[in-house]
Amino acid sequence: MTTQTPDTETPQRFPEVDAALDDLAEGEKTWAALPLARRRALLDRIRALSSQHATEWVDAATGVKKLDPSSPLVGEEWLSGPYSMITAATLLAQSIAKLESGQSPLADAKFGTAPGGRSTVKVLPMTTWDSLLLSGYTAEVWLEPGVTETEARATAGLGQKDPTATGGIGVVLGAGNITSIAPLDALYELFAFNRVVALKLNPIMDPMLPVLRKVLAPLVEIGAVRILTGGADVGTYLVHHSQVAHVHMTGSSLTHDAIVFGTGDDGAKRKASGEALLDKPISSELGGVSPTIVLPGKWTKADIAFQAEHVATQRLHNGGYNCVASQVVVVSADWPQKDEFLAALRTALDDAPARVPYYPGSDARVASATSSFPNAERHGPNGGRVLVTDLDPGSYAPLLQTEYFSPVLGVVELPYNGREFARRAVATANEDFIGTLGVNIVAHPDTLAELGSELETLIESLKYGTVAVNAWTALGFLTAGAPWGAFPGHTLDDVQSGIGVVHNAYLIERPERTVARGPFRPAPRSILNREMALTPKPPWFVTNKTAATTGRLMTVFAGAPSWTKLPALFASALRG
């Protein structure tokens, strides 16, 4: 058994990795022989185990994030942890059940059309429960141009259309920020590509190992998954191992380039010449700098306060350590309410709950931002949150080209108003920002009505993997049926936000983007203003006072839906 390790003469060996890969080579045979019914049963067990061990999962995550266990912020760990795993396993099992019966996973899906000859697939809401728990929120997948409804239905299922055609061993390099990313990516490798999985945890997530072993036990038992820990040396050994057929990673573009081309001057030379050191395919989800475009309109004071909290959440959720955290707010310099909105944003940054900067390097990245922008404002407890405003156009570049991955938020002002501002803001998002993972648009319903069909044209022109209108793009992450990843077309030497997608529990072939939409106002103001949305302040808002209780109740409900569980859930949500 031989391996390659970049930039070393005598590679170090890791017997535990060799043993895991030998196990997976045998496990691939078991997986290939496993009929769809058995695979569905495995998913049902994973769903049940995720529910059974949800509290243990959240307790471990709370320790990783250094959260006060009594803080409402623990709600983030319920929703982005076991809740996401339960909903993904549930929907994947339903897709497998469709294939078992000879149907497409999209047999019951509602299709539509979008500009540019695109077909769309509705992925939220899909059930009565969705409509109740996330009232007013929707998501649809826009397929690549030219993909018809007939083709989409026929090709959905990916690797499960021929379960015996396995794809070897895939490595999944897990993320260090959101606890469900690693196990969800392992599921996608297995079910989308029929690859058994060597799942390597980010060292930050090592405390999650005991609970992930319990949740993924059905797959570990049959040899389809092995969970590994260790540092960069283990990861390097693993991805260059001769038994590995494919690599998937979540992280930064710098880590991606180190894996693909190597490090130091030699790595830079390889990248410049396009000579990859990695001798196997790699897919990735890498983040970037996400914009939030605020379209000018006539807002009430309540609208301004709510949307300021919304934008603050987009930055401060999980402490700012999200690949799709909004980093730059794009506003109209000519908007009469601009100063009022920015004042409310400052208040929201000040008032959001305190938290420990748990992610390594956060303080250094904050210091880098304040060094680049000496007039940056400091907000929140101990001044740990940075707001960059009043920039000259020539000073924007570091803000738009550096993913700070910390509580740093900037404001870019563009001239014009109305339609012209919308067009300029979209062009700026496409041309000046690094990364294509997600973009948010915030706009009053009257403004959206004035744009009419041009709104869809603007969405079409945004080259992002998820576009959210009056919602945060993280809703796309939370929606199990939505593909999650960068806009298609990136290459190894210009990877931006990555290559390929994950999640995608309907196993849709050739998705282009996800478009999520939400209500401009929470209930009851939404109802009073004739928006058909019953959702109060969403549980992912960092200012939601009952987020922990609501997140727990949503997770319990997802594990075993029942009408009897709804009253307590709604009561908690309304108090948020």
Side-chain angles (χ1 to χ4, degrees):
M1 185 185 303
T2 60
T3 62
Q4 286 182 300
T5 303
D7 303 333
T8 60
E9 292 295 328
T10 306
Q12 182 181 1
R13 301 190 67 83
F14 293 91
E16 67 277 16
V17 173
D18 295 338
L21 295 177
D22 286 342
D23 288 348
L24 289 168
E26 289 301 310
E28 183 182 5
K29 300 172 186 175
T30 303
W31 184 251
L34 215 60
L36 290 176
R38 288 282 309 280
R39 296 183 181 200
R40 176 172 50 81
L42 288 171
L43 287 166
D44 288 339
R45 284 185 62 199
I46 288 169
R47 176 185 60 189
L49 289 167
S50 298
S51 184
Q52 178 183 339
H53 298 291
T55 298
E56 181 182 349
W57 183 322
V58 171
D59 287 346
T62 299
V64 169
K65 308 296 179 70
K66 301 179 181 179
L67 292 172
D68 178 347
S70 65
S71 170
L73 294 173
V74 174
E76 297 176 358
E77 303 313 315
W78 283 102
L79 292 182
S80 65
Y83 175 86
S84 294
M85 190 68 175
I86 290 167
T87 54
T90 300
L91 192 51
L92 265 175
Q94 292 173 8
S95 292
I96 301 300
K98 290 286 189 186
L99 291 167
E100 278 183 77
S101 65
Q103 299 182 76
S104 167
L106 297 176
D108 300 323
K110 182 178 180 181
F111 280 76
T113 60
R118 291 171 173 85
S119 296
T120 66
V121 185
K122 184 179 180 181
V123 293
L124 182 75
M126 292 298 291
T127 67
T128 300
W129 306 128
D130 291 340
S131 299
L132 289 171
L133 295 180
L134 291 170
S135 174
Y137 288 90
T138 66
E140 59 186 10
V141 178
W142 290 22
L143 306 177
E144 292 180 358
V147 178
T148 65
E149 176 180 341
T150 300
E151 180 183 348
R153 291 190 195 274
T155 57
L158 300 179
Q160 299 311 295
K161 291 179 69 64
D162 184 0
T164 62
T166 54
I169 299 172
V171 165
V172 170
L173 300 179
N177 58 339
I178 297 296
T179 60
S180 66
I181 288 178
L184 286 176
D185 291 352
L187 286 187
Y188 198 64
E189 279 289 294
L190 268 172
F191 287 91
F193 304 111
N194 260 338
R195 288 191 282 261
V196 293
V197 179
L199 171 57
K200 159 65 171 66
L201 299 183
N202 186 300
I204 298 171
M205 291 294 169
D206 282 356
M208 295 295 303
L209 178 62
V211 71
L212 290 180
R213 279 179 171 160
K214 293 174 183 177
V215 167
L216 295 176
L219 299 173
V220 174
E221 289 165 3
I222 64 169
V225 168
R226 287 292 180 266
I227 308 175
L228 299 166
T229 60
D233 52 353
V234 174
T236 298
Y237 182 80
L238 180 60
V239 300
H240 291 276
H241 204 288
S242 61
Q243 285 185 277
V244 170
H246 183 274
V247 176
H248 176 79
M249 65 157 292
T250 301
S252 71
S253 58
L254 293 176
T255 302
H256 170 273
D257 288 352
I259 291 170
V260 174
F261 299 108
T263 58
D265 291 340
D266 288 342
K269 290 176 183 176
R270 292 190 196 97
K271 182 178 179 181
S273 64
E275 298 178 5
L277 182 66
L278 189 69
D279 62 351
K280 60 207 64 173
I282 182 170
S283 55
S284 51
E285 193 263 83
L286 306 175
V289 177
S290 292
T292 293
I293 298 169
V294 178
L295 299 184
K298 189 174 181 180
W299 297 10
T300 67
K301 289 185 180 297
D303 294 337
I304 289 173
F306 177 77
Q307 290 300 340
E309 290 183 33
H310 189 188
V311 173
T313 289
Q314 294 172 11
R315 176 70 269 181
L316 299 180
H317 183 279
N318 195 35
Y321 313 119
N322 285 331
C323 52
V324 77
S326 177
Q327 183 169 298
V328 179
V329 186
V330 183
V331 300
S332 166
D334 301 330
W335 182 26
Q337 293 181 291
K338 178 199 70 177
D339 290 340
E340 188 179 356
F341 175 74
L342 294 182
L345 183 58
R346 292 182 176 97
T347 298
L349 293 174
D350 282 328
D351 292 348
R355 62 195 309 161
V356 176
Y358 77 90
Y359 202 89
S362 178
D363 291 343
R365 291 188 293 276
V366 169
S368 172
T370 55
S371 175
S372 297
F373 306 105
N375 295 324
E377 305 170 17
R378 304 301 292 258
H379 290 275
N382 303 315
R385 297 158 189 164
V386 174
L387 181 65
V388 180
T389 62
D390 299 323
L391 290 177
D392 295 325
S395 305
Y396 290 157
L399 192 61
L400 311 189
Q401 293 290 310
T402 306
E403 183 184 12
Y404 286 111
F405 210 68
S406 61
V408 174
L409 182 65
V411 176
V412 166
E413 297 185 22
L414 300 178
Y416 309 103
N417 227 318
R419 293 174 185 269
E420 186 58 27
F421 170 78
R423 294 168 187 151
R424 297 289 181 120
V426 165
T428 297
N430 280 335
E431 297 166 10
D432 297 339
F433 283 69
I434 191 168
T436 65
L437 190 61
V439 58
N440 311 282
I441 299 172
V442 177
H444 192 284
D446 290 347
T447 302
L448 298 179
E450 290 168 7
L451 283 171
S453 62
E454 187 171 355
L455 174 64
E456 303 305 302
T457 302
L458 291 171
I459 291 173
E460 179 202 9
S461 65
L462 282 163
K463 307 304 181 188
Y464 285 82
T466 300
V467 180
V469 181
N470 288 335
W472 180 25
T473 45
L475 179 65
F477 180 96
L478 200 65
T479 301
W484 180 255
F487 194 79
H490 298 314
T491 58
L492 289 181
D493 58 353
D494 184 20
V495 74
Q496 296 276 325
S497 289
I499 297 170
V501 300
V502 289
H503 300 187
N504 189 24
Y506 289 108
L507 302 173
I508 299 170
E509 189 173 70
R510 295 179 64 190
E512 182 186 59
R513 75 188 87 193
T514 296
V515 178
R517 306 175 202 251
F520 181 69
R521 308 173 181 93
R525 288 195 302 113
S526 56
I527 301 169
L528 296 174
N529 287 275
R530 288 185 268 184
E531 283 185 272
M532 298 307 294
L534 301 176
T535 303
K537 182 181 289 186
W540 52 83
F541 269 43
V542 294
T543 49
N544 189 305
K545 297 175 182 178
T546 61
T549 301
T550 302
R552 177 178 60 81
L553 292 173
M554 286 181 67
T555 303
V556 171
F557 182 89
S562 166
W563 288 101
T564 61
K565 296 176 181 176
L566 290 178
L569 200 166
F570 289 155
S572 177
L574 288 169
R575 292 194 302 269

